[in-house]
Amino acid sequence: MKTERGEVMRSNLNQETIAALATGRGGAIGVIRVSGPDAVAVADAVFVARSGKPLSEAAGYTVHFGEVVAGGSGGEGALGREVVDEVLVSVFRAPHSYTGEDAVEISCHGSSYIEARILGLLIEAGARAAEPGEFTMRAFLAGKMDLAQAEAVADLIAAGDRAQHRLAMDQMKGGVSSALAGLREELVQLAALLELELDFGEEDVAFADRGRLKELAEGIEAEIERLKATFEQGNAIREGVAVAIVGRPNAGKSTLLNALAGDERAMVSDIAGTTRDRIEERVVVGGVGFRFVDTAGLRATDDELERMGIERTRDAIRRARVVMLVMDAVEAGVCDIEAQVAELGLREDQQLCVVLNKVDVVGALDAESGSVGSSGAVLGTVSGAVSGEVQAWFSAADFPGSVFEISAKTGFGLDALRDWLVGTVDVRGFDSGAAVVSGARHFEALSRASDAVGRVLAGLRGGFSASEVCDSGSGLSSDLLAAEVREVLHHLGSITGDITSSEVLGAIFSKFCIGK
Ligand code: GDP
């Protein structure tokens, strides 16, 4: 059922007080969150302040030292009374809290036993265990943030590198939301003009300037397309940019991967399977997360096991945004390179770099000049590593990628390669604060909005009448156009949660952890 935020609020936001552990395991401190109309009373039932004053007398934004006690907070010496922990309690008063409700945060020692005991006591005192994401859902329902911002909270907590962090932070601060708010205003204008047309259509008053309508709709379409276009980048950053490292055995792929990882290695994830050759590794380079897949290369073979490896390599290449072809610089010959590049079968949207490795083997290097630039750049800054023939071939303007001469072993040329990698992800948009769409749900809503705008434009271009479909066939009546405009508004509204269903909300917030 579709409903406005206010209705969801009335139906879902009940009078229950919820509690959950907000911190992870293993820390020195654990924080238990309590939120709801009875948050302070529930906390008072388990907490005895050193000051002797109950929390019910405490103002918002105050912190209180004391003890959590089991067996009643009836003062020292009370029968069966057991001190569970010494804690700090922060008090928040509605609406000045994360959820917009009265809320309490209990900071205790980070023992899972203590945390569980305190939670148990709070529940005994009348709180209910919170569902996943329930605190953030309440924040959304209370109008503290819109849906896109609420989703960004989950991304922010999960952010593992600088780019992900900026993406989530921008969305949480309302980057995407404000871009959508601008669009909404224009759509409302468009709808108003169409409705005027409807109201006066029968009297044959031509006043809504069709040119103006079209202009408005085109502007809206362009903005939606712009937002949609940011998704590929936003999603890559969110998931990690996929890079396939391809090359013959012993070309130095693993050594290169290790060298790139350096100190910034985030985590190693072996992909399960029988194969010896497909390992995905997440490495943060220049603040951007990359997912490197080390592959077996594409050598033609009769060996069954190797054939399976080749299939996996093909799969990894298909999924990659960036492909790094690693070759032994000593052995690399033009025909070989050409053949290997051709075998990759890259698409237009993929980026290629050929990495000529082991240049340290080939005589003295000019240490000043590690980089060899992109397509068309003149090689020859590295003395003697690569044959003149190979250099000339790379210099040809039609080479479809970038070339680097490196030594994975000594680190020579790696900085230039890292810079190039970071350059494949355009993070400039972030620096200028432009909204970047990263959620698949948002992208889908934008796509639907864009389809509806397309229909509006087709209707406007085909000419339209106030009440009936025009004879020209492609034109739409203004009431149908107005319906399409409302549909665009609906899809955009579903991103920020202005218009949403309780099922959608449930699905979104259930993906959160408990305590968020
Ligand atoms: P892979 O099969 O492509 O993963 O290749 P490895 O990374 O296992 O490297 C194969 C061999 O080449 C190893 O003995 C490496 O030490 C060596 N190697 C890798 N990179 C370099 C390099 O830049 N210079 C030199 N001299 N040896 C290298």
Side-chain angles (χ1 to χ4, degrees), residues 39-355:
V40 176
V42 165
D44 256 337
V46 307
F47 175 73
V48 181
R50 186 60 55 90
S51 68
K53 283 195 195 136
L55 296 172
S56 57
E57 289 172 17
Y61 297 144
T62 57
V63 182
H64 308 267
F65 176 64
E67 291 169 344
V68 168
V69 289
S73 51
E76 256 173 86
L79 209 62
R81 184 177 176 279
E82 177 206 349
V83 175
V84 176
D85 197 10
E86 289 193 338
V87 299
L88 283 176
V89 177
S90 314
V91 174
F92 304 85
R93 294 292 184 176
H96 305 294
S97 71
Y98 180 70
T99 53
E101 308 171 322
D102 272 357
V104 165
E105 281 176 14
I106 302 174
S107 304
C108 61
H109 290 100
S111 128
S112 43
Y113 171 75
I114 291 176
E115 290 159 354
R117 278 297 300 279
I118 296 178
L119 256 179
L121 290 172
L122 291 166
I123 287 165
E124 262 175 48
R128 158 171 80 66
E131 305 281 341
E134 197 170 359
F135 292 96
T136 308
M137 177 144 125
R138 287 187 177 200
F140 160 70
L141 291 173
K144 285 269 163 184
M145 55 178 83
D146 68 36
L147 202 49
Q149 290 173 306
E151 288 170 298
V153 173
D155 286 349
L156 189 66
I157 293 169
D161 59 59
R162 188 171 61 92
Q164 287 178 345
H165 171 258
R166 292 196 66 163
L167 190 66
M169 192 50 107
D170 176 60
Q171 190 174 322
M172 197 176 78
K173 293 245 172 248
V176 173
S177 309
S178 63
L180 292 174
L183 267 176
R184 232 179 124 76
E185 248 167 59
E186 291 187 10
L187 278 160
V188 169
Q189 232 189 87
L190 185 59
L193 286 176
L194 283 166
E195 255 141 54
L196 271 179
E197 184 83 30
L198 263 179
D199 289 348
F200 294 91
E202 281 173 19
E203 293 152 38
D204 247 359
V205 188
F207 49 87
D209 174 357
R210 313 284 161 92
R212 169 85 188 115
L213 285 182
K214 212 164 102 248
E215 214 173 85
L216 255 175
E218 276 164 356
I220 291 164
E221 183 183 48
E223 178 62 9
I224 292 179
E225 289 309 316
R226 193 190 66 74
L227 281 171
K228 269 177 69 188
T230 65
F231 175 70
E232 197 200 338
Q233 181 203 354
N235 195 48
I237 286 165
R238 196 160 178 260
E239 306 291 330
V241 182
V243 184
I245 303 186
V246 190
R248 304 246 161 92
N250 284 325
K253 299 182 295 295
S254 330
T255 311
L256 173 59
L257 191 51
N258 285 334
L260 284 173
D263 296 336
E264 287 197 282
R265 178 175 311 223
M267 99 187 147
V268 179
S269 60
D270 288 17
I271 289 191
T274 51
T275 165
R276 52 196 165 154
D277 53 40
R278 186 162 160 197
I279 291 176
E280 181 177 296
E281 185 157 1
R282 223 191 121 81
V283 176
V284 179
V285 181
V288 179
F290 291 88
R291 287 185 291 119
F292 288 96
V293 181
D294 189 353
T295 71
L298 290 166
R299 188 173 40 166
T301 176
D302 291 333
D303 182 280
E304 181 58 23
L305 207 63
E306 276 196 39
R307 249 211 306 274
M308 283 164 61
I310 288 169
E311 251 330 288
R312 278 190 205 91
T313 300
R314 289 225 168 278
D315 188 51
I317 293 172
R318 264 194 301 273
R319 291 163 192 265
R321 261 169 77 99
V322 176
V323 175
M324 283 168 62
L325 179 59
V326 183
M327 307 185 103
D328 189 323
V330 188
E331 296 169 1
V334 168
C335 294
D336 192 24
I337 299 173
E338 218 162 358
Q340 286 200 47
V341 169
E343 270 174 0
L344 294 173
L346 295 186
R347 300 184 307 264
E348 284 266 309
D349 61 325
Q350 294 177 303
Q351 305 210 45
L352 167 70
C353 79
V354 173
V355 178

